[in-house]
Amino acid sequence: MCIRDSSPDIRKEIESSEFDLLQQTGREQQVAVLFTDIKGFTQLSEKMDPAEVVELLSEYQKRMVGPIFANKGTVDKYIGDAVMATFGTPESRGNDAQNALDCARSMQVSLRQWNKERIEQDLPAVEHRIGIHVGPSIVGNIGGEERMEFTVIGDTVNVASRICDACKTHGRDVLISEDMRLRLDERLETCLLYTSPSPRDATQSRLPSTA
């Protein structure tokens, strides 16, 4: 992560303060981590030429970055068709869990709008999955002199990635952890809750239509 991967508000705070990303050694802090990836990307990309694949990924990432920035998040990295975003880095921005969930909702809206445009162009609709977890994470600079990256590592990241994968098992677009639900400003009566590193232990119900 570098300054340009942060939302404009966070970027301004970093630039106007003495906060130096390059000087940040590892520390533990609470972070909400969101993963999103494209459903069936391998099968979809097999029908496309390389230029079309790159165009699809670039447009998808652009459509997802807007909601991340709008909800006080940071793009940690792109991993193929996946986007990893963090909320609470480099510093907390209030209720980071709520910001992450609001981001997921905005991502759903952004995807629906994009699909309307794609259908008008006779292109197939794109579907995706979103998984979110919040918890203690190690935040800091990883790497050496040639390449150093300010990033987030630890079990919280691994669990968020597994939650995203678990959407396949449960046939849902969005999964959040129980830890996420407990930190929200709102009360979710029904949601998909992921309670352990095993997707088999997720409890299944339906997310509100706003998500």
Side-chain angles (χ1 to χ4, degrees), residues 55-206:
E55 183 180 2
L56 175 73
L57 289 177
S58 297
E59 186 64 23
Y60 175 71
Q61 291 166 357
K62 183 180 79 172
R63 301 276 178 160
M64 297 302 105
V65 167
I68 292 169
F69 286 177
N71 290 282
K72 305 174 184 177
T74 296
V75 177
D76 190 275
K77 59 178 63 73
Y78 301 118
I79 313 165
D81 63 306
V83 180
M84 174 184 164
T86 59
F87 299 80
T89 59
E91 302 290 346
S92 176
R93 300 275 297 174
N95 191 332
D96 300 311
Q98 185 68 54
N99 291 339
L101 181 61
D102 290 343
C103 175
R105 287 174 169 145
S106 298
M107 284 177 164
Q108 297 292 76
V109 173
S110 181
L111 185 68
R112 285 195 291 270
Q113 179 58 45
W114 185 32
N115 278 329
K116 287 180 183 178
E117 297 171 16
R118 288 180 61 82
I119 291 170
E120 289 172 357
Q121 300 168 22
D122 293 324
L123 295 172
V126 172
E127 297 180 278
H128 69 178
R129 295 176 286 260
I130 300 173
I132 320 173
H133 182 50
V134 62
S137 305
I138 299 172
V139 180
N141 287 310
I142 307 293
E145 292 182 359
E146 280 119 15
R147 187 176 189 279
M148 186 172 290
E149 180 181 43
F150 185 83
T151 189
V152 176
I153 60 174
D155 287 342
T156 298
V157 176
N158 297 333
V159 171
S161 178
R162 290 171 183 164
I163 290 173
C164 187
D165 288 340
C167 289
K168 303 175 190 176
T169 305
H170 297 285
R172 293 291 187 269
D173 295 334
V174 182
L175 269 171
I176 69 169
S177 67
E178 173 70 6
D179 289 324
M180 272 286 299
R181 185 185 69 82
L182 294 174
R183 287 169 171 79
L184 296 176
D185 292 332
E186 63 188 281
R187 182 176 179 180
L188 295 184
E189 296 293 343
T190 58
C191 57
L192 278 166
L193 300 178
Y194 182 91
T195 55
S196 86
S198 170
R200 292 188 301 252
D201 295 331
T203 50
Q204 182 173 327
S205 56
R206 187 177 298 277

